[in-house]
């Protein structure tokens, strides 16, 4: 079974299914919609469609997002939206495979742990003897 004729219908059908089947929150649906419309627009400029895009195309879109200066969290969310869309399309029989399933996300930024100020360390040292009694 082929998917819908245009990418906007892919997005609409996916969002309707998310609302009905998973009870996705309104803000989640709005976020998915924005992310998928951005991907759709990028693909259209490249002459691609959701129906025909492959793993390399999706990875190229994520590189584009990175080049636009989007945060890791935003890029991860966009990849998640595409994974969900393609999983839905696979389950509906619109695609023979899910081209986004094996794409690794950008991961989380590694941050150093916060340190205590000198005043906080002094306060701990002052309080310690009182706790030992």
């Amino acid at each position: 079974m082929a998917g819908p004729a245009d990418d906007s219908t892919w997005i609409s059908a996916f969002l309707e299914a998310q609302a009905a089947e998973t009870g996705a929150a309104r803000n989640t649906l709005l976020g998915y919609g924005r992310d998928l419309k951005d991907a759709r627009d990028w693909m259209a400029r490249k002459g691609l469609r959701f129906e025909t895009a492959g793993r390399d195309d999706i990875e190229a879109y994520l590189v584009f997002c990175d080049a636009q200066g989007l945060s890791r969290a935003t890029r991860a969310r966009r990849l998640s939206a595409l994974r969900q869309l393609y999983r839905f399309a696979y389950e509906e029989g619109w695609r023979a495979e899910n081209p986004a399933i094996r794409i690794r996300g950008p991961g989380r930024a590694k941050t150093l742990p916060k340190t205590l100020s000198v005043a906080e360390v002094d306060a701990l040292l002052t309080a310690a003897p009182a706790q030992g009694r």
Side-chain angles (χ1 to χ4, degrees), residues 11 15 26-41 61 77-78 81:
I11 295 171
L15 293 176
R26 184 177 189 281
N27 285 340
T28 299
L29 297 173
L30 290 172
Y32 278 157
R34 275 190 308 272
D35 292 341
L36 293 172
K37 286 174 186 172
D38 185 76
R40 175 202 62 199
D41 293 347
Y61 168 68
R77 191 189 68 231
R78 288 191 176 177

Side-chain angles (χ1 to χ4, degrees), residues 85-131:
L85 173 73
Y86 280 114
R87 184 179 71 188
F88 171 74
Y90 174 76
E91 290 171 354
E92 292 294 311
W94 299 351
R95 293 274 314 223
E97 83 293 333
N98 177 342
I101 198 165
R102 297 202 193 295
I103 298 175
R104 290 183 50 121
R108 292 185 161 232
K110 300 209 181 340
T111 58
L112 295 172
K114 296 191 182 206
T115 59
L116 298 176
S117 68
V118 172
E120 291 168 325
V121 171
D122 286 342
L124 283 172
L125 292 173
T126 302
Q131 295 298 318

Side-chain angles (χ1 to χ4, degrees), residues 17-57:
Q18 288 294 300
E21 296 170 12
T22 67
R26 184 177 189 281
N27 285 340
T28 299
L29 297 173
L30 290 172
Y32 278 157
R34 275 190 308 272
D35 292 341
L36 293 172
K37 286 174 186 172
D38 185 76
R40 175 202 62 199
D41 293 347
W42 181 88
M43 287 185 189
R45 288 191 301 273
K46 302 292 181 188
L48 301 168
R49 296 195 47 239
F50 288 136
E51 186 174 29
T52 58
R55 179 179 175 165
D56 291 345
D57 300 317

